[in-house]
Structure formats: structure tokens, C-alpha cells
Amino acid sequence: MADTCLSGICNPRRTQGRVARPSGRVNLLVLQGPGLFVGASVAKQGGDTDITSVILDIDGRNVVNLTYAAARNFGLTQPNPFGLVLHQTQAIDNVTIGYPSPLRFERELVLAVDVNEPNVVQVTANVIHGTP
């Protein structure tokens, strides 16, 4: 008999990716499908201009591509129905991604950053995901 998770996500888990002193595009996490994306957090320490982009691609389609500066300029600093929120402190900028319903991926989920600013010390990402 097949295992089913009624109205939930089977096998929920957190996967983390981290890179120190990044430059250019860096894939923080690559998850193989099928799976369900529940949410993510991408924290950046350092950087002078916040023109580092957070990029989420699901099955080869772009879902998120937004700089930390753009998130601030667009007013995505409070919970909102768009699913993206920027939280800032003096030391850390953190973009969170989450939608009312999980996003299904069949082949691959890629969470990346494109660092186009000096003095980024590290970027850490956490993704909550599971199986359908």
C-alpha cells in the first residue's frame, strides 16, 4: 500500500547551503524532484550596495529573481501576499520566500544568488521541502 500524506507534505525536511566570500552566480542548493517547495530563507552577511540577487528556478522556470535593494525599494519589508519579505538588521539581510500553497517541482529546484557587490562575507540558505 502506498504511503499517503493526507492534506500535508510527506517527509518534510530542511536543506541548507552556504558559501563564504561569494562572487558572481552561485547555486546554493540544487534539489532533485519530484518534490514540494514550502519555503526558503536566504541570509546575506555584508555587502555595500545590496545588489545581490536571490534566484529561485523550478523545473527550468524562473520564480524569483530579486536583489535585496529591490526588495527594500519595492516595500517588501512586511508580510505580504506576494510571498517575498526582506528582513534587515545592521549585520544581516534576509529574504524569505513562501507561498500559501507549496510549489511542486518535477525535475529540479535551484536556489542561487548572484553577488554583484563587494564585501559579502557569506550567504546561507535554508529550504523547507518535502515529497508530494
Side-chain angles (χ1 to χ4, degrees), residues 51-102:
I51 56 171
T52 291
S53 296
V54 174
I55 303 161
L56 175 64
D57 292 329
I58 294 179
D59 291 338
R61 294 181 303 257
N62 183 253
V63 177
V64 173
N65 192 335
L66 184 73
T67 66
Y68 288 84
R72 183 179 58 255
N73 292 340
F74 294 157
L76 297 175
T77 57
Q78 300 293 320
N80 63 74
F82 188 63
L84 298 170
V85 178
L86 171 65
H87 304 277
Q88 293 181 292
T89 68
Q90 288 184 349
I92 303 289
D93 296 326
N94 185 26
V95 168
T96 59
I97 306 167
Y99 301 99
S101 298

Side-chain angles (χ1 to χ4, degrees), residues 25 27 29-37 56-63 103-111:
R25 185 173 171 134
N27 288 346
L29 292 164
V30 178
L31 303 176
Q32 299 304 309
L36 294 173
F37 168 79
L56 175 64
D57 292 329
I58 294 179
D59 291 338
R61 294 181 303 257
N62 183 253
V63 177
L103 303 181
R104 182 180 176 97
F105 57 99
E106 294 299 323
R107 297 180 313 279
E108 184 177 73
L109 179 145
V110 178
L111 183 61

